[in-house]
Amino acid sequence: MLIFNNLSLAEDGLGLLQDGLNILNNYYNKIVTVLTTSPENLYSSVWSAMKNINGYLTAIGVVLVVIFFYIGLTKQVIRLEELRRPANFFGAFIRLALAEAIVMNSSTLLLKVMEILQGCISGVANLFGGFGSSSGRFMAIPSQLFTLAGDVNWGTGLLICILALLGTVIIWGLSLIMLVTVYVRFFKIYIYAAISPLPLATFGGENSERTGRNFLMSFIGVGLQGLIIAIAFIIFSKMTSSGFTVDSSASATSNMFNYLGTLLLQLILLVTMVRASDRIIKEMVGG
């Protein structure tokens, strides 16, 4: 009969499950980094490429500002005499100047908005001593489970090993879904920054500025999505901070079922909240 490193199958299974939790911790820390790091610092090469695209589209955006300004002006001013009024004349060209300034500094504007929102994320996290992910204490398998696992027979050990393997696969899958969701949000920020001169050019005309407002609201919504994710992480860390209490009077299999069920339930709730953050923001701001 094969023996794996002089350990029982149950202990081997728990070791495998701990490896899965270590992967989850690693993904968790990556997500925290993405949430709290400025786009220009997280992937500087990507941000540089997006700025180059933004610079190319800025020239087109400036032309579009004039076009939207002209269209809006012709619809707003029916008679030429109305432009002779100082308020109408200067108001129209102040709009044109502001719209061009917004388009020419669109990437800087969006970056400043993101810095404010990321400051909110960091501030909320600091209220509770961070996201609770640096040590990974809430992700560690209780040592009492290893003690119980060392005393089971081969058949029970095989069952625990199978449960641990299944739990590891589920944990890895859920962790990957959560990581992809957060990275998709961050890629949206890069895309918004790249194409921003075109929708922001609509501020040039009074009748078209709604498109620019919707663009800004959508961008702010993407930023606030990170705040929802951060709050979900804080809730998760508080839920798991108490840890799992091993019932010494129960069998190792029963404790394994209870521990794995509790862990997966908490993780599924976290992933569900992360996935639903986009919908929650849309319900709040209508973006």
Side-chain angles (χ1 to χ4, degrees):
M1 183 180 297
L2 291 175
I3 298 178
F4 301 94
N5 298 325
N6 296 323
L7 295 175
S8 70
L9 282 174
E11 290 173 313
D12 286 331
L14 290 177
L16 180 64
L17 182 60
Q18 184 61 60
D19 290 338
L21 295 179
N22 291 338
I23 294 175
L24 175 58
N25 280 326
N26 185 35
Y27 285 179
Y28 194 98
N29 291 327
K30 286 182 179 179
I31 291 172
V32 171
T33 300
V34 171
L35 290 177
T36 56
T37 304
S38 173
E40 63 176 345
N41 295 328
L42 185 63
Y43 294 108
S44 57
S45 59
V46 177
W47 180 255
S48 178
M50 294 304 102
K51 286 200 70 175
N52 289 336
I53 297 173
N54 178 279
Y56 173 77
L57 294 179
T58 295
I60 301 174
V62 170
V63 176
L64 290 177
V65 167
V66 177
I67 294 174
F68 285 121
F69 170 75
Y70 175 76
I71 294 173
L73 191 64
T74 55
K75 289 184 178 181
Q76 183 181 3
V77 181
I78 301 177
R79 295 180 304 175
L80 185 62
E81 289 78 7
E82 295 185 20
L83 274 181
R84 295 178 179 176
R85 298 177 182 176
N88 292 341
F89 180 82
F90 288 108
F93 284 92
I94 287 174
R95 168 186 288 276
L96 176 63
L98 289 176
E100 288 192 354
I102 290 174
V103 169
M104 295 179 67
N105 298 279
S106 57
S107 62
T108 302
L109 173 64
L110 297 189
L111 186 61
K112 293 300 181 182
V113 173
M114 277 304 303
E115 288 178 354
I116 294 173
L117 294 175
Q118 286 180 321
C120 293
I121 294 173
S122 299
V124 168
N126 290 335
L127 290 175
F128 301 93
F131 291 102
S133 62
S134 58
S135 64
R137 290 189 300 272
F138 53 87
M139 291 299 178
I141 297 177
S143 58
Q144 296 93 327
L145 275 181
F146 282 96
T147 302
L148 292 176
D151 298 329
V152 301
N153 56 41
W154 189 89
T156 304
L158 179 61
L159 176 59
I160 293 177
C161 186
I162 293 174
L163 288 174
L165 177 60
L166 181 61
T168 301
V169 173
I170 296 175
I171 289 171
W172 177 80
L174 293 174
S175 303
L176 189 60
I177 291 173
M178 184 168 57
L179 184 65
V180 169
T181 301
V182 173
Y183 269 96
V184 166
R185 168 199 171 261
F186 208 78
F187 289 166
K188 285 181 181 179
I189 295 172
Y190 285 125
I191 295 172
Y192 271 82
I195 68 170
S196 57
L198 301 184
L200 291 179
T202 59
F203 280 117
E206 185 175 351
N207 296 321
S208 59
E209 67 178 4
R210 182 177 179 181
T211 301
R213 291 200 304 267
N214 290 339
F215 175 82
L216 287 178
M217 288 300 297
S218 296
F219 179 77
I220 293 173
V222 173
L224 289 176
Q225 185 183 349
L227 183 59
I228 298 297
I229 294 173
I231 294 174
F233 283 176
I234 292 172
I235 294 173
F236 176 68
S237 66
K238 295 304 177 182
M239 286 177 61
T240 57
S241 60
S242 58
F244 177 79
T245 303
V246 176
D247 186 1
S248 57
S249 63
S251 64
T253 305
S254 176
N255 277 290
M256 182 64 180
F257 269 111
N258 291 334
Y259 173 72
L260 199 57
T262 302
L263 176 64
L264 292 180
L265 175 61
Q266 294 170 342
L267 184 56
I268 289 172
L269 289 174
L270 174 62
V271 174
T272 301
M273 285 300 302
V274 171
R275 292 282 296 169
S277 59
D278 184 38
R279 179 174 56 81
I280 292 172
I281 289 299
K282 286 181 178 179
E283 292 175 353
M284 289 181 177
V285 301

